[in-house]
Amino acid sequence: MSDVFALDVSKGHSVGVWYRGNHCLREFECTHDQISFSPLLKLTEQAINPIIYFEATGVYSTPLERFCRDHQLQYSCLNRLELYLQSESLRRVKIDRKDAHRIAQSVAQHYYRLTTPWTRKYERLGQLNHFYGQVISYIKLKRLRLHTTLQQTFPEEEQLFSSRISRLALNVILLHPHPDFVRGISRTRLKNKLMSETDKSLSKMKCLKYAERLMKLAKNSYPAADKDSIQVRKAQYDCRQLIELVKQQDSLSKEMTTAPAAIPEDALYASAPGIGLQSVAQLIGELGDIRQFDNANQLNAYVGIDLNRYHSGQYTRQDHINKRGNPHLLDCQKHD
């Protein structure tokens, strides 16, 4: 028999109730700070084997999770969809005291799995993975913006490199965002400029080839924007930001690919065909300790992969996999 603490979480604040069986012993409110968490801790010390239940609300519920972990309290961070399916009376928009009671009543009627906190090594890898994903998103956005700007300032320059976001390509675009920056410069001077002002060591022969191609592209270019236009400044601004983002991506990737070595299942993931070190790091970062799942069905549910079946009268459509869950897990191999 466990006492139930059910909290309805909102931004920086929670409304809670304390239940023993079907009887409510107390209603309370707390802000997510040390002053308000102290009385909540005292309440749990008076309770019988307390378990704290609250809905996962993104970043707003994380202080409550930290409180439970720090004080070694059992808790269940409830999935929003599962909670609404089990408790149809819970409202989706407005948050008030009644919802805390409804969470407690739902807990009494249905089984909700307790949350197993991630250990430090899994948590760190998860944070690295999320940061890495955020940087990748920024790179994609900045790359698109740079492409749009270059179409106005020097569209032919994108033909110079196979990858527009390599450090060499970005440094060259930063130095020469407009053909007028190239015109009038001798081949030797342009070659020396590429060798001295890019952050990648290049041979004289390779620099000379880049200089010749750049001069040829600049000669035939007819940009929409002038040399002193705002678009040229914008292209340089996007380049500088992309250079820093690519450096951050490389740094995070190196840190991520070395971190799984301390995790037991690292070798198991790496033994699967087609999975590299980057994918291993991302899988562990998203899944955490795989031993938290009792069976394959729980893992499939967490990832969001299940069979989609359709029957109508005498017609049965062929089963296919429905991918509607964690997009990072479904897509992690693309970054290897």
Side-chain angles (χ1 to χ4, degrees):
M1 188 69 180
S2 298
D3 285 4
V4 169
F5 286 81
L7 290 93
D8 196 29
V9 181
S10 58
K11 181 182 177 181
H13 174 265
S14 291
V15 175
V17 292
W18 173 12
Y19 269 70
R20 180 170 292 162
N22 294 320
H23 180 60
C24 178
L25 301 180
R26 181 169 300 186
E27 296 179 342
F28 60 89
E29 295 187 24
C30 70
T31 52
H32 299 164
D33 54 40
Q34 293 192 41
I35 295 175
S36 288
F37 277 148
S38 182
L40 176 57
L41 179 61
K42 290 179 180 178
L43 286 180
T44 60
E45 290 170 349
Q46 301 169 25
I48 301 171
N49 190 26
I51 302 177
I52 299 178
Y53 293 87
F54 54 91
E55 183 183 348
T57 55
V59 294
Y60 297 150
S61 58
T62 53
L64 200 52
E65 287 192 74
R66 171 74 185 272
F67 166 77
C68 293
R69 291 197 305 268
D70 286 351
H71 299 285
Q72 298 180 337
L73 295 168
Q74 296 185 92
Y75 70 97
S76 179
C77 189
L78 303 171
N79 179 280
R80 175 174 293 187
L81 177 60
E82 181 184 12
L83 187 59
Y84 281 129
L85 289 174
Q86 300 284 16
S87 310
E88 294 181 1
S89 59
L90 279 167
R91 288 178 288 178
R92 294 177 181 269
V93 180
K94 182 173 170 54
I95 296 175
D96 64 3
R97 191 178 302 277
K98 291 182 180 179
D99 282 347
H101 285 281
R102 289 165 181 156
I103 292 173
Q105 291 160 9
S106 180
V107 167
Q109 297 171 9
H110 306 95
Y111 169 74
Y112 292 104
R113 185 186 180 94
L114 295 183
T115 300
T116 302
W118 286 20
T119 59
R120 177 60 181 162
K121 56 188 177 182
Y122 287 103
E123 185 178 14
R124 178 173 175 76
L125 188 53
Q127 291 170 349
L128 279 171
N129 184 45
H130 291 164
F131 188 13
Y132 180 83
Q134 190 176 42
V135 170
I136 291 294
S137 297
Y138 290 157
I139 287 175
K140 289 178 179 178
L141 178 61
K142 277 294 173 184
R143 180 180 177 179
L144 178 61
R145 289 180 176 176
L146 178 60
H147 168 75
T148 302
T149 306
L150 278 178
Q151 296 309 302
Q152 303 172 68
T153 63
F154 196 172
E156 294 82 5
E157 195 166 26
E158 291 186 322
Q159 302 172 24
L160 194 61
F161 303 98
S162 58
S163 172
R164 294 194 304 274
I165 60 169
S166 69
R167 293 191 190 182
L168 176 60
L170 291 171
N171 275 279
V172 171
I173 294 171
L174 179 62
L175 291 170
H176 312 99
H178 193 278
D180 286 355
F181 284 62
V182 179
R183 291 167 182 161
I185 302 178
S186 68
R187 184 181 66 167
T188 302
R189 185 181 170 190
L190 186 58
K191 180 227 14 172
N192 292 337
K193 190 176 182 183
L194 290 176
M195 290 188 69
S196 63
E197 298 189 39
T198 58
D199 63 355
K200 183 174 180 179
S201 179
L202 294 172
S203 66
K204 290 183 179 180
M205 185 60 67
K206 198 165 187 178
C207 272
L208 192 60
K209 288 182 179 180
Y210 277 127
E212 289 174 346
R213 289 188 61 197
L214 190 58
M215 291 175 69
K216 184 177 180 180
L217 293 171
K219 181 180 179 180
N220 295 323
S221 181
Y222 192 82
D226 295 328
K227 177 182 178 180
D228 58 353
S229 67
I230 298 298
Q231 287 92 329
V232 169
R233 287 168 55 186
K234 185 178 181 300
Q236 291 177 314
Y237 172 78
D238 287 339
C239 273
R240 292 188 187 98
Q241 289 201 317
L242 268 170
I243 289 169
E244 291 305 313
L245 285 169
V246 170
K247 287 179 181 178
Q248 187 66 256
Q249 178 193 358
D250 292 343
S251 174
L252 289 170
S253 181
K254 289 177 182 177
E255 194 171 355
M256 286 173 65
T257 51
T258 55
I263 295 174
E265 60 269 32
D266 169 49
L268 178 64
Y269 284 116
S271 66
I275 294 185
L277 294 176
Q278 186 69 43
S279 288
V280 170
Q282 289 182 270
L283 280 169
I284 297 175
E286 288 293 334
L287 291 174
D289 189 346
I290 199 170
R291 288 165 291 189
Q292 68 181 300
F293 303 104
D294 295 334
N295 51 57
N297 289 336
Q298 288 184 1
L299 178 59
N300 283 341
Y302 181 82
V303 175
I305 297 178
D306 57 4
L307 284 178
N308 190 338
R309 292 179 174 172
Y310 179 79
H311 299 275
S312 178
Q314 299 298 317
Y315 172 73
T316 302
R317 186 175 62 190
Q318 183 179 0
D319 294 346
H320 67 274
I321 294 176
N322 185 23
K323 301 177 181 180
R324 58 184 178 187
N326 189 320
H328 304 292
L329 279 169
L330 297 173
D331 198 40
C332 70
Q333 275 191 283
K334 292 186 179 180
H335 300 303
D336 248 344

